[in-house]
Amino acid sequence: MKKTIIAVATLLVAAALLVGAGAAAQGEIIINCNADGANVTVYDANWNPVANGVVSGGHADIYVDTAKGATYATVFASGYEPQTIGVSVVAGNPTTFTANLAPVEQTIGGSFGFLQVLTNVIGADVKLLDISGNECGSGVTDNTGAVTIKIMLVGTPVKSAVVSANGYTTKQMEIGTLPGAGETIQMVVKLDSDVKPTVPTPQPATPMPIAGLLAGLGAAAVVLLKRRA
């Protein structure tokens, strides 16, 4: 009976430790925003999504696993221009950030939406091509690796995005669904480096000098002759 009690107590302590460790690994990110209903997505340094939330009452409270980390947050809502901000997460302590979205004013000539391209490269060139292969929009990624490009929803439809940067392989990706008026769609494009790892060239073994080899053979012959004598 005593052994059973000790075993149960040990399991309870272990469970408490696991719960405590899990709680300690969580950090809270608070995004203050002027657009209720805005969608917030938190990404790590490689633009992998780690958490998301929705702005309600002027803010979105998002819990993130600190082991995954948090580097960027994208905030967008219908009728507003999207925004990308840098964020961070600390275990046990909330960190607060602000995203003020600018309202979209649709033009008389036609409505438009937004394409937000998220990359792992700062200063990458992004070009939009229509179904005829003509350029119909462009931009350069900012210090978070993001760029937002306006897409006109009249005329020739946009078909793809081409992302390029010095030292990286250019990528062209199809745009499946266009945004509605005032809406935002996102596209994550990770560029691969053109720089190949340097492999050291194997050095050939240093050949034994002929003179030394002959001298060695001669010495061995003398030793053999002496033994025979």
Side-chain angles (χ1 to χ4, degrees):
M1 182 66 180
K2 185 177 180 180
K3 291 182 178 180
T4 302
I5 294 174
I6 293 174
V8 172
T10 302
L11 289 174
L12 290 174
V13 171
L17 291 174
L18 287 174
V19 171
Q26 292 289 318
E28 182 182 9
I29 294 177
I30 300 174
I31 305 292
N32 292 326
C33 181
N34 60 320
D36 272 5
N39 293 293
V40 181
T41 304
V42 179
Y43 296 86
D44 64 13
N46 294 314
W47 284 110
N48 298 307
V50 295
N52 56 72
V54 177
V55 175
S56 177
H59 60 90
D61 301 337
I62 303 172
Y63 290 90
V64 179
D65 185 349
T66 55
K68 296 179 179 179
T71 306
Y72 311 112
T74 61
V75 187
F76 62 91
S78 180
Y80 294 84
E81 294 188 19
Q83 189 175 355
T84 302
I85 60 175
V87 296
S88 59
V89 62
V90 179
N93 294 316
T95 51
T96 303
F97 305 91
T98 300
N100 288 319
L101 304 186
V104 173
E105 296 182 3
Q106 298 293 337
T107 62
I108 298 176
S111 59
F112 57 87
F114 298 95
L115 171 65
Q116 191 175 51
V117 179
L118 313 174
T119 78
N120 57 323
V121 180
I122 296 172
D125 292 314
V126 181
K127 295 180 180 180
L128 303 186
L129 303 179
D130 61 22
I131 58 176
S132 299
N134 299 316
E135 182 179 331
C136 55
S138 64
V140 177
T141 57
D142 60 17
N143 59 0
T144 68
V147 62
T148 300
I149 304 175
K150 183 184 295 185
I151 296 179
M152 296 303 298
L153 302 178
V154 296
T156 307
V158 178
K159 181 182 180 183
S160 61
V162 180
V163 185
S164 61
N166 290 333
Y168 294 85
T169 302
T170 298
K171 282 189 178 181
Q172 181 170 346
M173 298 185 65
E174 299 295 315
I175 301 173
T177 304
L178 294 179
E183 293 181 346
T184 300
I185 58 173
Q186 290 180 316
M187 175 183 291
V188 177
V189 182
K190 297 181 181 180
L191 298 183
D192 300 319
S193 175
D194 282 339
V195 179
K196 305 300 180 184
T198 303
V199 179
T201 303
Q203 298 296 322
T206 304
M208 181 181 293
I210 298 299
L213 179 61
L214 293 176
L217 292 174
V222 170
V223 171
L224 290 173
L225 290 174
K226 286 183 177 181
R227 286 181 179 178
R228 290 181 178 181

